[in-house]
Structure formats: structure tokens, C-alpha cells
Coordinates of all heavy atoms in Angstrom, one line a residue:
G143 N -18.0 94.0 -9.6 CA -18.1 95.4 -9.9 C -16.7 96.0 -10.1 O -16.6 97.3 -10.3
R144 N -15.6 95.3 -10.0 CA -14.2 95.9 -10.1 C -13.5 95.1 -11.2 O -13.8 94.0 -11.5 CB -13.5 95.8 -8.8 CG -14.2 96.5 -7.7 CD -13.2 96.7 -6.4 NE -13.9 97.2 -5.3 CZ -14.1 98.5 -5.1 NH1 -13.7 99.4 -6.0 NH2 -14.7 98.9 -4.1
I145 N -12.5 95.9 -11.8 CA -11.6 95.2 -12.8 C -10.8 94.3 -12.2 O -10.0 94.6 -11.2 CB -10.8 96.3 -13.5 CG1 -11.8 97.3 -14.4 CG2 -9.8 95.6 -14.4 CD1 -11.1 98.4 -15.0
L146 N -10.8 92.9 -12.6 CA -9.9 91.8 -12.1 C -8.7 91.7 -12.9 O -7.6 91.5 -12.5 CB -10.7 90.6 -11.8 CG -10.0 89.4 -11.4 CD1 -9.5 89.7 -10.0 CD2 -10.8 88.1 -11.4
A147 N -8.9 91.8 -14.2 CA -7.9 91.7 -15.2 C -8.3 92.3 -16.5 O -9.4 92.4 -16.8 CB -7.6 90.2 -15.4
Q148 N -7.4 92.7 -17.2 CA -7.6 93.3 -18.6 C -6.3 93.0 -19.4 O -5.2 92.9 -18.9 CB -7.9 94.8 -18.5 CG -6.8 95.6 -18.0 CD -7.2 97.1 -17.8 OE1 -8.0 97.5 -18.6 NE2 -6.6 97.7 -16.8
G149 N -6.6 92.8 -20.7 CA -5.4 92.6 -21.7 C -5.8 91.7 -22.8 O -7.1 91.6 -23.1
T150 N -4.9 91.1 -23.4 CA -5.2 90.3 -24.6 C -6.0 89.0 -24.0 O -6.0 88.6 -22.8 CB -4.0 89.8 -25.3 OG1 -3.2 89.1 -24.4 CG2 -3.2 91.0 -25.8
K151 N -6.6 88.3 -25.0 CA -7.5 87.2 -24.5 C -6.6 86.2 -23.9 O -6.8 85.5 -22.9 CB -8.2 86.4 -25.7 CG -9.4 87.3 -26.2 CD -10.2 86.4 -27.2 CE -9.4 86.2 -28.5 NZ -10.3 85.7 -29.5
S152 N -5.4 85.9 -24.6 CA -4.4 84.9 -23.9 C -3.9 85.2 -22.6 O -3.6 84.4 -21.8 CB -3.3 84.6 -24.9 OG -2.6 85.8 -25.2
Q153 N -3.9 86.5 -22.3 CA -3.4 87.0 -21.0 C -4.5 86.8 -20.0 O -4.2 86.5 -18.8 CB -3.0 88.4 -21.0 CG -1.7 88.8 -21.8 CD -1.5 90.2 -21.9 OE1 -2.5 91.0 -22.1 NE2 -0.3 90.7 -21.9
V154 N -5.7 87.1 -20.3 CA -6.8 87.2 -19.4 C -7.6 85.9 -19.1 O -7.9 85.5 -18.1 CB -7.7 88.4 -19.7 CG1 -9.0 88.3 -18.7 CG2 -7.0 89.7 -19.6
L155 N -7.8 85.1 -20.3 CA -8.7 84.0 -20.2 C -7.8 82.8 -19.9 O -7.6 81.8 -20.6 CB -9.3 83.7 -21.5 CG -10.3 84.9 -22.0 CD1 -11.0 84.5 -23.4 CD2 -11.3 85.1 -20.9
T156 N -7.4 82.7 -18.6 CA -6.5 81.6 -18.0 C -7.3 81.0 -16.9 O -8.3 81.6 -16.3 CB -5.3 82.2 -17.5 OG1 -5.5 83.0 -16.4 CG2 -4.5 82.9 -18.5
S157 N -6.9 79.8 -16.6 CA -7.6 79.1 -15.6 C -7.5 79.8 -14.2 O -8.4 79.9 -13.5 CB -7.1 77.6 -15.5 OG -7.2 76.9 -16.6
E158 N -6.3 80.3 -14.0 CA -6.0 81.0 -12.7 C -6.9 82.3 -12.6 O -7.4 82.5 -11.6 CB -4.5 81.4 -12.7 CG -4.2 82.2 -11.4 CD -2.7 82.7 -11.4 OE1 -2.0 82.0 -12.0 OE2 -2.4 83.6 -10.7
T159 N -6.9 83.0 -13.6 CA -7.7 84.3 -13.5 C -9.2 84.1 -13.4 O -9.8 84.7 -12.6 CB -7.5 85.2 -14.8 OG1 -6.0 85.4 -15.0 CG2 -8.1 86.6 -14.8
L160 N -9.7 83.1 -14.3 CA -11.1 82.8 -14.2 C -11.6 82.1 -12.9 O -12.7 82.3 -12.4 CB -11.7 82.2 -15.4 CG -11.6 83.0 -16.7 CD1 -11.8 82.3 -17.9 CD2 -12.5 84.3 -16.5
S161 N -10.6 81.3 -12.3 CA -10.9 80.7 -11.1 C -11.1 81.8 -10.0 O -11.9 81.7 -9.1 CB -9.8 79.8 -10.6 OG -9.7 78.7 -11.5
R162 N -10.2 82.8 -10.1 CA -10.4 84.0 -9.1 C -11.7 84.7 -9.3 O -12.4 85.1 -8.4 CB -9.3 84.9 -9.3 CG -8.0 84.4 -8.6 CD -6.9 85.5 -8.4 NE -6.4 85.9 -9.9 CZ -6.1 87.1 -10.2 NH1 -6.2 88.0 -9.4 NH2 -5.7 87.3 -11.4
A163 N -12.1 84.9 -10.6 CA -13.3 85.6 -10.9 C -14.5 84.9 -10.4 O -15.4 85.5 -9.8 CB -13.4 85.8 -12.5
F164 N -14.6 83.6 -10.7 CA -15.7 82.7 -10.2 C -15.6 82.3 -8.8 O -16.6 81.7 -8.2 CB -16.0 81.6 -11.2 CG -16.4 82.1 -12.6 CD1 -15.5 81.8 -13.7 CD2 -17.6 82.7 -12.8 CE1 -16.0 82.2 -14.9 CE2 -18.0 83.0 -14.0 CZ -17.2 82.8 -15.1
G165 N -14.6 82.3 -8.1 CA -14.4 81.9 -6.8 C -14.5 80.2 -6.8 O -14.8 79.8 -5.7
E166 N -14.2 79.7 -7.9 CA -14.2 78.2 -7.9 C -13.1 77.8 -8.9 O -12.8 78.5 -9.8 CB -15.6 77.8 -8.7 CG -16.8 78.1 -7.9 CD -17.3 77.0 -7.1 OE1 -16.8 75.9 -7.2 OE2 -18.3 77.3 -6.3
P167 N -12.4 76.6 -8.5 CA -11.4 76.2 -9.6 C -12.0 75.8 -11.0 O -12.9 75.0 -11.0 CB -10.8 75.0 -8.9 CG -11.8 74.5 -7.8 CD -12.7 75.7 -7.5
V168 N -11.5 76.4 -12.0 CA -12.0 76.1 -13.3 C -10.8 75.8 -14.2 O -9.7 76.2 -13.9 CB -12.7 77.3 -14.0 CG1 -14.0 77.6 -13.1 CG2 -11.9 78.5 -14.1
T169 N -11.0 75.1 -15.3 CA -10.0 74.9 -16.3 C -10.5 75.5 -17.6 O -11.6 75.3 -18.1 CB -9.9 73.4 -16.5 OG1 -9.5 72.8 -15.3 CG2 -8.8 73.1 -17.5
V170 N -9.6 76.3 -18.1 CA -9.9 77.0 -19.4 C -9.0 76.4 -20.5 O -7.8 76.2 -20.2 CB -9.5 78.6 -19.3 CG1 -9.7 79.3 -20.6 CG2 -10.4 79.2 -18.3
R171 N -9.6 76.0 -21.6 CA -8.9 75.5 -22.7 C -9.1 76.4 -23.9 O -10.2 76.9 -24.1 CB -9.4 74.1 -23.0 CG -8.9 73.1 -21.9 CD -9.2 71.6 -22.3 NE -8.8 70.8 -21.3 CZ -9.4 70.5 -20.2 NH1 -10.6 70.9 -20.0 NH2 -9.0 69.5 -19.3
Q172 N -8.0 76.5 -24.7 CA -8.1 77.2 -25.9 C -7.9 76.3 -27.1 O -7.0 75.4 -27.1 CB -7.0 78.2 -26.1 CG -7.2 79.0 -27.3 CD -6.1 80.2 -27.5 OE1 -5.2 80.3 -26.5 NE2 -6.1 80.8 -28.6
V173 N -8.9 76.2 -28.1 CA -8.8 75.4 -29.4 C -8.9 76.5 -30.4 O -10.0 77.1 -30.6 CB -9.8 74.3 -29.4 CG1 -9.9 73.6 -30.7 CG2 -9.8 73.4 -28.2

């Protein structure tokens, strides 16, 4: 319910940021 990150897609959609959001280690890839 709180803002974790905001900005451009490339700034926010990172493995580090989404790992914090989900509470699990994730890998984000951009194609």
C-alpha cells in the first residue's frame, strides 16, 4: 500500500526493485 519506486520503466523495472516489491529474488529482463 505504499510507493516503493516511481520513475521511467528502465529506472523502476529492475531485478533489485522488483525483488524488494515481491520479497523474493527475481530476475527482470528487457527485450
